[in-house]
Structures are given as C-alpha cells and as structure tokens.
Amino acid sequence: MRDAVIVEAVRTPLGRGKETGALHDVHPVDLMAHSLRAVVDRSGVDPDLIDDVIGGVVSTVGEQGANVTRRATLAAGYPESVPATTVDRQCGSSQQALHFTAQGVISGAYDIAVATGVESMSRVPMGSSMLGTTDPSGVAFAERYPDGLVPQGVSAELIAARWGISRTQMDEFALASHAKAAAATKNGLFDAEISPVGEVRTDEGIRVGSTVETLAGLRSAYFDEAAARRFPQIGWNVTAANASQVTDGSAALLVTTSDKARRLGLTPLARVHSVAVAGDNPLLMLTAVIPATRKVLARADLTLDDIDLFEVNEAFASVVLAWAQETGADLSRVNVHGGAIALGHPLGASGARLATTLVHALGEHGGRFGLQTMCEAGGLANATVIERL
C-alpha cells in the first residue's frame, strides 16, 4: 500500500507584514520561490522528478494573483515541465495543499509533489481580493443568514464569551506564546526549519518583556457599536496582543512515498498519517478546529493521549483556549515553540509553516504523533496527524 512521507520541510523567517518589515522588499513570487528552492536543495531531489507543486495563498490578487505558484515554481529554477497550481481554503490554504499532495501521492497520481504556501501581507494586504465588491455572497446566502455574518475579530469575541474566556487568560496565553518562541529561537530549535532570506535569519515578531498588566491597558481591536448592540454578551477583550500578527513568509514540504524515498536514498522525516476537513457555524467562524480534531483522531484511530505535540494556529488566543476546553488537550503540549501570536500568521503560508514546525518539533522532543489544526474563514478547519519516522 502506498503512503505519503515528508522528506523535507522548510520555511522562511517570518517578517512583520508592514512596509518596515524585514521581508517587505521581497516579492511574494520570490518569497515562495525561496522555500521551493530550499526544499529541493536540502533534500537533494532532482526537481525534474516533481510531478506537481500545490501552493496555498489567501489574497490571490495583484502580485499573488493568476496562479502565483506557477510563477514561483519557475522562479525557483524548476524545469518548465513541472506544473503548479494554487488553492484557497483561506488560512488553511497551504495545509490543504499538503493534504492534496499527500492524497495525490497515496493515490498514485503523483510520485513526488511539493506543498507550499506564501503570503506577503505587507505588499498584498488582507482583504485585497475583495476590494470593490459590494455583494460578495449573493441572494440565497443572504436569505440563509438574514442577520448577516461578522468579521473574524467579532467571531473571536463571541468565542471568548461563549466559553467564558477572560481577558487575563487570553493575555497570559499570548505572553506564553512569545516566551516559548523566544526560548526556541535562543536555543536554536528553529535552525533546522528556517532557510534565511538574505540577512534575515530569525522571526521578527517575537517580543519579550511585556506583562499582563501592560497588556491590560490595550484597547479592543474589534469594537463595533452595531455588533455590541447585537451581541451584548461580548466583553470586547480581543486586542492586538492576544491575536495573531500580520506577517510575510513562506514554507514548503516535499512529499513522496516510502518506497520512492528508499530508491532515491532519502530519509523521511515523518508520515502524513491522516487528514480531515470540517465545517462549523460560519457566524462563530473559528470553531471548526473542534470537530476537525475529533474527526481526524477518529480517522487515525488515535486518542488525544496518543498525540505528543499539537500545532493549533493562534489566530486568536480565544480560539486555542476554547479548543482546549472542548477537546481536553493538555496546553503544555500545544505550540511548544510558540505560535502565530508570537511568530506571525502569513495567511496562505501558515498551514505549511505549522506543518514544518511540527515535523521538526517532533524530532526535537522525540515525539511520535503530532496533530495540526487551523481555523479558517467561513467556519472551516483542516486537521492533520503526522507520524515521526
């Protein structure tokens, strides 16, 4: 029976997604190309053997539009015969790309494929692909949800209210994310996964020295009078500090079969054990990580106790804390090297970034199974179980 193994996983350092950010001057095509080049250079695989490159991008417009993955594949120096495509499952786009590459390899459609992702949020701002659109949903969607949906920040507030998550809990979680990321950087735990971009060698968004008292002084990032009237239960405690950072970055993973890896003399890092995708209430929007986790565990025939490490995207602290309440997961095994609150959330690249970090963290900590899940706009979530080999 065919399987899907990851033989290399690499990412760029993550830069702040603003004009003064460390990676702002790097075109997104070149940013994705950097990871694509690094993944074949490190693995030693001849790129001519690659059957497909699947890339995740969220804002598919401008410099990131028109199948940016194809341009990046060519920019990386891959042969013109290597095809490429771009997928959009919002924040889970490159995690979905990993699912598609693994499914293609297992099915026999591919022997070798690359999953990748990019987002240059400093050059292509979030929401750019919807600019000028007055009605993105049409009549039938509006009839199904006559009261309308809300922005993600308001959804994060609704989650905090429903699960009784306090401002202090969210701020403490955020501080812990920065502390873990700073420690991982200091101890060289990201060295194996990061391919420096020029002089940029470390993640730019990590901050140390803040306190709960300092963070308590920050204003709500998403307060809206109409939403406050509609949802009086909201405490308006989501701030810039306990939400993910706007970020530039890319990542890539090379996937093949165990048999192909053996014949090419490659040593697999991990196996893509099981995958799942789930949908949930689009008003709460960010809660599908809960059913997705249960779904992928059932598919893998594993329990929560079998999982050594978790990567749960820190889009907002409330999302991870609600997920932990519902699943019963031990937070000491979650995002052990920090998460998106500290490292950043380069939208389309984040799924591949989390997978890259998880693969390497399993090796660092001697774990066998890792579970990755990510909330996505529209009430969606991908979940992946990875087994270290």
Side-chain angles (χ1 to χ4, degrees), residues 51-85:
D51 293 304
D52 206 357
V53 179
I54 304 177
V57 183
V58 171
S59 296
T60 51
V61 67
E63 294 176 349
Q64 294 180 169
N67 193 11
V68 63
T69 309
R70 171 61 172 169
R71 299 197 302 283
T73 299
L74 296 174
Y78 288 23
E80 293 176 348
S81 58
V82 177
T85 192

XYZ file of all heavy atoms in Angstrom, residues 51-85:
242
model
N 6.235 15.880 -9.691
C 5.038 15.754 -10.528
C 4.108 16.960 -10.438
O 3.357 17.230 -11.383
C 4.251 14.501 -10.123
C 5.016 13.225 -10.434
O 5.390 13.033 -11.600
O 5.236 12.432 -9.505
N 4.113 17.670 -9.312
C 3.245 18.837 -9.173
C 3.685 19.642 -7.967
O 4.270 19.115 -7.017
C 1.775 18.412 -9.003
C 0.782 19.472 -9.463
O 1.219 20.575 -9.865
O -0.429 19.195 -9.431
N 3.391 20.924 -8.028
C 3.595 21.838 -6.906
C 2.245 22.464 -6.602
O 1.607 23.047 -7.490
C 4.633 22.926 -7.233
C 4.792 23.884 -6.045
C 5.976 22.312 -7.618
N 1.782 22.313 -5.356
C 0.488 22.862 -4.956
C 0.737 23.915 -3.884
O 1.325 23.613 -2.838
C -0.454 21.769 -4.429
C -0.605 20.669 -5.493
C -1.811 22.350 -4.058
C -1.466 19.497 -5.054
N 0.310 25.139 -4.160
C 0.582 26.242 -3.255
C -0.683 26.841 -2.675
O -1.711 26.914 -3.348
N -0.599 27.281 -1.441
C -1.711 27.947 -0.788
C -1.475 29.442 -0.697
O -0.391 29.883 -0.305
N -2.466 30.215 -1.076
C -2.431 31.675 -0.989
C -3.846 32.142 -0.673
O -4.814 31.574 -1.178
C -1.953 32.330 -2.306
C -1.865 33.846 -2.161
C -0.607 31.778 -2.741
N -3.976 33.173 0.164
C -5.303 33.684 0.501
C -5.682 34.871 -0.375
O -6.718 34.869 -1.035
C -5.383 34.047 1.996
C -6.675 34.788 2.310
C -5.306 32.774 2.838
N -4.843 35.891 -0.400
C -5.161 37.071 -1.216
C -4.603 36.859 -2.620
O -3.494 37.293 -2.954
C -4.582 38.333 -0.581
O -5.183 38.575 0.667
N -5.379 36.159 -3.436
C -4.936 35.810 -4.789
C -5.278 36.955 -5.735
O -6.186 36.855 -6.572
C -5.578 34.497 -5.245
O -6.992 34.588 -5.035
C -5.037 33.323 -4.473
N -4.538 38.028 -5.601
C -4.761 39.227 -6.397
C -3.429 39.952 -6.539
O -2.520 39.773 -5.730
C -5.816 40.146 -5.723
C -5.285 40.709 -4.415
C -6.278 41.256 -6.655
N -3.296 40.745 -7.585
C -2.065 41.503 -7.774
C -0.862 40.591 -7.893
O -0.869 39.618 -8.653
N 0.176 40.874 -7.117
C 1.402 40.089 -7.181
C 1.187 38.636 -6.790
O 2.000 37.775 -7.126
C 2.462 40.714 -6.265
C 2.933 42.081 -6.727
C 3.912 42.736 -5.766
O 4.081 42.228 -4.633
O 4.515 43.755 -6.161
N 0.094 38.344 -6.072
C -0.197 36.976 -5.653
C -1.333 36.360 -6.458
O -1.819 35.285 -6.113
C -0.546 36.955 -4.154
C 0.627 37.336 -3.273
C 0.331 37.323 -1.781
O 1.248 37.415 -0.984
N -0.930 37.230 -1.394
N -1.731 37.001 -7.534
C -2.837 36.501 -8.342
C -2.376 35.620 -9.486
O -1.188 35.361 -9.675
N -3.369 35.152 -10.263
C -3.100 34.442 -11.515
C -2.148 33.266 -11.337
O -1.158 33.136 -12.045
C -2.579 35.401 -12.587
N -2.461 32.389 -10.371
C -1.655 31.190 -10.100
C -0.202 31.540 -9.809
O 0.727 31.152 -10.514
C -1.738 30.197 -11.266
C -1.188 28.824 -10.887
O -0.930 28.528 -9.733
N -1.010 27.970 -11.893
N -0.003 32.268 -8.715
C 1.334 32.690 -8.302
C 2.262 31.493 -8.101
O 3.485 31.613 -8.290
C 1.239 33.540 -7.014
C 0.687 32.726 -5.850
C 2.584 34.142 -6.652
N 1.717 30.327 -7.773
C 2.568 29.159 -7.515
C 3.337 28.740 -8.769
O 4.491 28.299 -8.682
C 1.731 27.983 -6.989
O 0.928 28.436 -5.903
C 2.601 26.841 -6.518
N 2.718 28.882 -9.920
C 3.418 28.548 -11.168
C 4.597 29.490 -11.389
O 5.702 29.053 -11.721
C 2.444 28.619 -12.347
C 3.076 28.516 -13.744
C 3.809 27.199 -13.964
N 4.224 27.060 -15.368
C 5.056 26.127 -15.828
N 5.558 25.236 -14.996
N 5.364 26.064 -17.099
N 4.392 30.786 -11.182
C 5.483 31.733 -11.375
C 6.603 31.481 -10.362
O 7.790 31.569 -10.694
C 4.976 33.173 -11.264
C 3.929 33.528 -12.311
C 3.725 35.022 -12.464
N 3.326 35.701 -11.244
C 2.109 35.680 -10.721
N 1.152 34.966 -11.315
N 1.815 36.359 -9.619
N 6.218 31.159 -9.130
C 7.224 30.885 -8.108
C 8.010 29.618 -8.420
O 9.219 29.546 -8.171
C 6.556 30.769 -6.741
N 7.328 28.611 -8.963
C 7.994 27.359 -9.327
C 9.058 27.612 -10.396
O 10.174 27.093 -10.318
C 6.956 26.338 -9.818
O 6.034 26.067 -8.755
C 7.599 25.039 -10.259
N 8.709 28.432 -11.368
C 9.678 28.775 -12.410
C 10.780 29.666 -11.854
O 11.954 29.523 -12.200
C 8.964 29.459 -13.577
C 7.954 28.580 -14.320
C 7.189 29.400 -15.358
C 8.644 27.395 -14.981
N 10.413 30.595 -10.976
C 11.408 31.481 -10.365
C 12.398 30.694 -9.514
O 13.563 31.092 -9.379
C 10.708 32.539 -9.516
N 11.939 29.569 -8.964
C 12.814 28.728 -8.146
C 13.788 27.916 -8.986
O 14.673 27.250 -8.430
C 11.972 27.788 -7.286
N 13.620 27.945 -10.298
C 14.522 27.218 -11.180
C 14.074 25.824 -11.530
O 14.816 25.072 -12.161
N 12.842 25.443 -11.130
C 12.333 24.126 -11.505
C 12.187 24.077 -13.031
O 11.926 25.097 -13.678
C 10.969 23.869 -10.880
C 10.958 23.612 -9.382
C 11.983 24.054 -8.543
C 9.895 22.944 -8.797
C 11.948 23.819 -7.178
C 9.847 22.705 -7.424
C 10.875 23.152 -6.620
O 10.833 22.928 -5.271
N 12.307 22.893 -13.619
C 12.100 22.773 -15.066
C 10.715 23.271 -15.473
O 9.754 23.187 -14.696
C 12.240 21.274 -15.320
C 13.066 20.768 -14.186
C 12.685 21.599 -13.001
N 10.608 23.782 -16.666
C 9.318 24.269 -17.167
C 8.282 23.157 -17.241
O 7.077 23.411 -17.257
C 9.499 24.899 -18.544
C 10.318 26.186 -18.494
C 10.588 26.752 -19.882
O 10.341 26.017 -20.877
O 11.044 27.909 -19.976
N 8.731 21.913 -17.253
C 7.818 20.764 -17.326
C 7.111 20.485 -16.001
O 6.169 19.691 -15.964
C 8.593 19.512 -17.759
O 9.660 19.260 -16.849
N 7.558 21.105 -14.916
C 6.940 20.871 -13.605
C 5.712 21.776 -13.464
O 5.842 22.996 -13.465
C 7.934 21.140 -12.457
C 7.242 20.965 -11.104
C 9.141 20.214 -12.570
N 4.517 21.188 -13.341
C 3.307 22.006 -13.235
C 3.122 22.557 -11.819
O 3.817 22.146 -10.877
C 2.187 21.029 -13.589
C 2.729 19.697 -13.182
C 4.215 19.753 -13.383
N 2.183 23.471 -11.678
C 1.899 24.057 -10.366
C 0.495 24.632 -10.364
O -0.016 25.070 -11.404
C 2.909 25.153 -10.040
N -0.126 24.644 -9.191
C -1.455 25.229 -9.052
C -1.579 25.889 -7.693
O -0.793 25.614 -6.774
C -2.554 24.167 -9.248
O -3.822 24.823 -9.384
C -2.613 23.205 -8.070
